[in-house]
Amino acid sequence: MSNVAENSENLLTDWHQQAITLQKNINQTILGQEHIIDLMVVAIFCRGHILLEGDVGVGKTTLLRATAESLGGNFERIEGTIDLMPHDLVYYTHIANDGKPAVSEGPLLKHGENLSIFFFNEINRARPQVHSLLLRVMAERSVSAFNKTFFFPHLQVFADRNRIEKDETFELPAAARDRFMMELHIKQPTAEEQLKELMFNSRYYDADKLIDSADKAVLPFHQLNDIAVAIQSYIHSSDTIQDYGFHLCQALRKPQDYGIQISDIDTEKLVLGGMGPRGISYLARSARAHAWLNQRNSVTPEDFHAVIRAISKHRIFINPVYNYNGEAIIEELISGVLNTIPSP
Amino acid sequence: MAINKLLKQKMYVPMFLAVLLAVFCNTALYADQVRTGIVQQSLGRDFGILVGDVIEHYYIVQVPAEYRLTPASLPPDGELDYWLLLLDSDYELISETAELRQYRLHFTFQTFYAPLDVRALATPPLTVSFNAGDKTEQLTIPAWNFTMSPLKEIAPRGVAKDSNQNAFMKADLAPSTIPTKDLQQQIWILSIMLLILVILWLTLKGFLFALTRSPFQQAYHQVKKLRKYHNDESAFNQALQAVHRAFNRLAGHALFAHQTDQFINKHKEFSGYQDQIDSFYQLSTEALYSEQKLASEKDFDQLMKLCKQLAGAEKLALKKS
């Protein structure tokens, strides 16, 4: 083994330990969301943006805050409201100490290149103009203001929305959803013990205190980009697994070509689009990161199985006639694909 | 007397001249105004018409010379009533003078009315149009009354008797069929021969036995064949693939390493071989995904042993059930 390979293997082993620490730290704060936290850690090590969706009061915001605090770096948060405009993210005007009007940098620009997490709470309450600005920030990690371009190389966007309320909300456009690496659906814990713990343990009553009680900045956030590149180059993808990943994506786009049957659904007319180049690249990247987190140096079908729902569910656009039960149909489609495509 | 006669004659001359002038004027007026109408018709007999008969009507009609028949005004072919069909309507210009034009109209009907006794029926009136610039003249072919007769024997042997032989109405004739018995026999013989040949071919090729074999038995034979090429890297991959196919077939879906527990829960007969199954998936991961495994004859033997064990377990489970 060459020195370079040995060094990168050692580096990845060290980082694996840190990733486990991060995972434990978040798990100590948030109860009963182990699978979601696993996926969030995968997204962090792929440098992908995350959108959380779930019922009211299941702990979406607390989970994102806990993750942001554990990651370290500069953290900014903004609440999505109907009157929020793009410039509110970039600057704000106020009366300065000298009594004169002044313009100051808004939450996006305040920390410059050191901005690590931008947390957008209730994203679907903001108008499409704001989504549009966010599209650029997420895709290019930059924004233009005051006649120059600001870059955020370490930025990761966390956003959440609740799925119950639909009044005065703006559905995220397909392009915006596609820029989120993962869309995670949070459900409340089902285990009796965990529910009793959440109900009677006073530790979980105050979210601020709960987050403060956990360790902060357990990772050197400014090294995450490099480690993400190292993971992608170190974890091996054999020809067999590449074939498998390719056919999974193809089957999600053209289920009829793979003989996938869904009851009462004409699969030929089901899928309108989705899993484009960005989606398939995210799938491969997250499969590699998942393999690394599970201490394997090559991707296996299990890695695809672990991440495929979080990566593909919000990227599959189905025929509007099936929208009445869209979520269940997409879920069935993904299960059908996983059960049908063999490997090898 | 003679004078009186002469005077009388003198009085008649102007009267004769006036009558002559009136006749002449009337003729000239008639010549100017040709009336549109039917001048001749041939309708055939209006009785004794039976179900299915074709009725042909010819009309010669005349119109003033400036008028021309509008072909689109001829009634279209098709059903005129539930029992009457217009098979065809046609026209022909037969003469043309400075004053008038004459057309021959031809209508072919077919009646499907099946009366049980003599019935009076009528074809509907038909209208044909003639145009001269902006002017239109319409000619109505009047309804045609006729009687239809039932299909009966001319000299009935019995009236209202039940017996077929003496029934008032004769039974319908059975249609004559084309004899196909010989052809059917030939087709049967050829089909059986073809089936025998297909079964023979499947048996010789071994496909028929493969269908009845357990998936692991099939995999065993495939691995055994591939063992000869153990030095070829792809042979081992193919052998692994054969065993994976056997697992997938038995599970009813693509089976992966992390699903083996569920598989064994469902197929209790393999519960004694959990370690061997896990080892197989481990071996497969090393060879196909990590690509860190160089295959040897021993690996082929291990695969064959696993296939044999699992086929045996399956057979035993089948016997017990």
Side-chain angles (χ1 to χ4, degrees), chain A residues 147-341:
Chain A
N147 292 327
K148 66 174 189 175
T149 306
F150 293 83
F151 292 96
F152 316 103
H154 306 292
L155 176 68
Q156 207 173 356
V157 175
F158 289 172
D160 73 5
R161 61 172 177 181
N162 81 59
R163 55 194 297 195
I164 304 289
E165 267 179 296
K166 296 287 176 198
D167 290 342
E168 291 191 344
T169 59
F170 299 90
E171 191 50 55
L172 282 178
R177 293 180 79 181
D178 195 61
R179 276 166 171 80
F180 283 102
M181 182 183 203
M182 289 185 185
E183 194 172 302
L184 302 172
H185 296 258
I186 298 208
K187 290 172 187 161
Q188 71 167 27
T190 47
E192 190 182 324
E193 286 302 314
Q194 288 175 338
L195 285 172
K196 280 181 185 168
E197 183 83 355
L198 286 171
M199 204 171 164
F200 294 106
N201 190 341
S202 57
R203 182 172 175 255
Y204 296 102
Y205 290 173
D206 187 338
D208 292 331
K209 272 188 187 169
L210 182 68
I211 291 163
D212 278 344
S213 67
D215 292 342
K216 293 193 174 51
V218 296
L219 293 181
F221 79 94
H222 53 277
Q223 289 176 22
L224 276 171
N225 284 348
D226 295 335
I227 201 70
V229 172
I231 291 167
Q232 295 304 320
S233 52
Y234 177 74
I235 302 296
H236 177 64
S237 301
S238 67
D239 290 345
T240 314
I241 203 71
Q242 285 183 26
D243 281 346
Y244 181 62
F246 166 77
H247 287 296
L248 281 183
C249 296
Q250 286 296 105
L252 285 174
R253 280 183 76 92
K254 295 176 181 169
Q256 72 277 13
D257 291 358
Y258 290 83
I260 291 158
Q261 305 282 332
I262 302 174
S263 54
D264 297 332
I265 304 287
D266 179 2
T267 46
E268 202 151 326
K269 291 174 186 164
L270 176 64
V271 181
L272 293 182
M275 285 305 279
R278 198 194 335 253
I280 61 175
S281 148
Y282 274 156
L283 182 65
R285 281 154 67 178
S286 53
R288 276 203 181 109
H290 187 269
W292 172 71
L293 282 168
N294 286 278
Q295 290 184 293
R296 273 184 273 107
N297 54 12
S298 55
V299 182
T300 65
E302 188 186 343
D303 300 314
F304 281 111
H305 286 224
V307 298
I308 195 166
R309 283 187 167 79
I311 302 283
S312 65
K313 221 170 170 181
H314 62 290
R315 291 194 161 84
I316 298 168
F317 298 100
I318 59 169
N319 196 321
V321 296
Y322 299 118
N323 274 351
Y324 66 97
N325 197 20
E327 211 172 298
I329 291 170
I330 292 174
E331 185 65 43
E332 214 174 321
L333 170 69
I334 297 171
S335 298
V337 167
L338 293 179
N339 283 335
T340 309
I341 310 296

Side-chain angles (χ1 to χ4, degrees), chain B residues 275-290:
Chain B
D275 291 343
Q276 286 92 323
I277 293 171
D278 288 340
S279 302
F280 161 72
Y281 274 95
Q282 181 68 33
L283 181 71
S284 166
T285 303
E286 280 171 22
L288 297 166
Y289 306 124
S290 303

Side-chain angles (χ1 to χ4, degrees), chain A residues 52-68:
Chain A
L52 287 193
E53 196 191 58
D55 297 345
V56 183
V58 287
K60 298 185 294 291
T61 311
T62 315
L63 173 58
L64 290 183
R65 278 178 64 195
T67 311

Side-chain angles (χ1 to χ4, degrees), chain B residues 25-321:
Chain B
C25 287
N26 195 27
T27 312
L29 192 68
Y30 180 72
D32 282 342
Q33 291 181 338
V34 175
R35 289 182 64 188
T36 300
I38 299 166
V39 291
Q40 203 179 329
Q41 62 185 27
S42 167
L43 305 175
R45 69 167 195 272
D46 58 0
F47 60 91
I49 292 169
L50 302 173
V51 61
D53 276 1
V54 173
I55 302 162
E56 295 203 82
H57 287 178
Y58 295 90
Y59 297 91
I60 293 174
V61 295
Q62 68 173 28
V63 284
E66 73 264 32
Y67 284 92
R68 281 178 168 73
L69 187 140
T70 311
S73 70
L74 287 171
D77 303 350
E79 285 182 0
L80 296 175
D81 207 334
Y82 74 96
W83 57 272
L84 187 67
L85 195 69
L86 179 64
L87 292 177
D88 188 32
S89 57
D90 198 7
Y91 76 97
E92 189 187 353
L93 179 66
I94 52 171
S95 75
E96 190 175 12
T97 63
E99 290 82 30
L100 57 85
R101 282 165 181 270
Q102 284 192 328
Y103 289 95
R104 181 167 56 203
L105 305 179
H106 177 204
F107 300 106
T108 312
F109 303 95
Q110 192 171 15
T111 169
F112 293 101
Y113 193 77
L116 293 175
D117 46 27
V118 177
R119 285 288 164 100
L121 296 167
T123 61
L126 305 170
T127 306
V128 184
S129 298
F130 300 87
N131 282 345
D134 294 341
K135 295 185 285 181
T136 305
E137 191 81 36
Q138 284 196 326
L139 174 71
T140 301
I141 308 292
W144 178 67
N145 296 300
F146 63 102
T147 56
M148 280 199 72
S149 304
L151 280 173
K152 284 181 183 173
E153 287 176 275
I154 296 165
R157 280 163 288 179
V159 177
K161 282 193 179 173
D162 290 335
S163 157
N164 283 338
Q165 203 179 353
N166 296 321
F168 183 70
M169 298 286 284
K170 273 195 169 181
D172 289 338
L173 282 176
S176 57
T177 51
I178 305 162
T180 56
K181 205 178 171 185
D182 289 348
L183 200 66
Q184 274 180 16
Q185 206 171 10
Q186 281 171 16
I187 289 170
W188 272 113
I189 291 166
L190 281 172
S191 305
I192 291 164
M193 278 170 68
L194 191 70
L195 192 71
I196 291 167
L197 284 173
V198 169
I199 292 169
L200 204 67
W201 182 76
L202 286 171
T203 314
L204 289 173
K205 279 276 181 186
F207 292 137
L208 209 63
F209 293 122
L211 283 175
T212 54
R213 263 188 220 146
S214 135
F216 289 110
Q217 251 178 321
Q218 285 180 47
Y220 173 84
H221 287 282
Q222 285 167 357
V223 176
K224 198 177 171 186
K225 271 183 201 167
L226 289 162
R227 191 178 180 275
K228 292 175 204 159
Y229 314 101
H230 65 271
N231 290 327
D232 184 0
E233 199 187 323
S234 69
F236 187 57
N237 289 357
Q238 284 177 47
L240 288 169
Q241 221 166 336
V243 183
H244 273 293
R245 270 200 300 271
F247 275 109
N248 294 350
R249 217 178 114 187
L250 213 65
H253 59 85
L255 188 74
F256 297 94
H258 60 284
Q259 297 166 336
T260 50
D261 289 347
Q262 292 164 26
F263 174 74
I264 288 168
N265 271 341
K266 210 173 154 190
H267 297 272
K268 299 282 184 202
E269 64 270 24
F270 301 134
S271 55
Y273 300 100
Q274 175 136 28
D275 291 343
Q276 286 92 323
I277 293 171
D278 288 340
S279 302
F280 161 72
Y281 274 95
Q282 181 68 33
L283 181 71
S284 166
T285 303
E286 280 171 22
L288 297 166
Y289 306 124
S290 303
E291 294 180 328
Q292 286 173 347
K293 172 83 189 162
L294 286 172
S296 63
E297 274 180 286
K298 210 177 150 189
D299 294 315
F300 281 90
D301 292 341
Q302 205 183 328
L303 289 184
M304 283 161 64
K305 191 180 166 191
L306 176 70
C307 289
K308 223 173 183 176
Q309 284 171 335
L310 298 181
E314 205 190 346
K315 208 173 170 183
L316 202 68
L318 276 174
K319 267 185 189 172
K320 278 181 184 173
S321 66

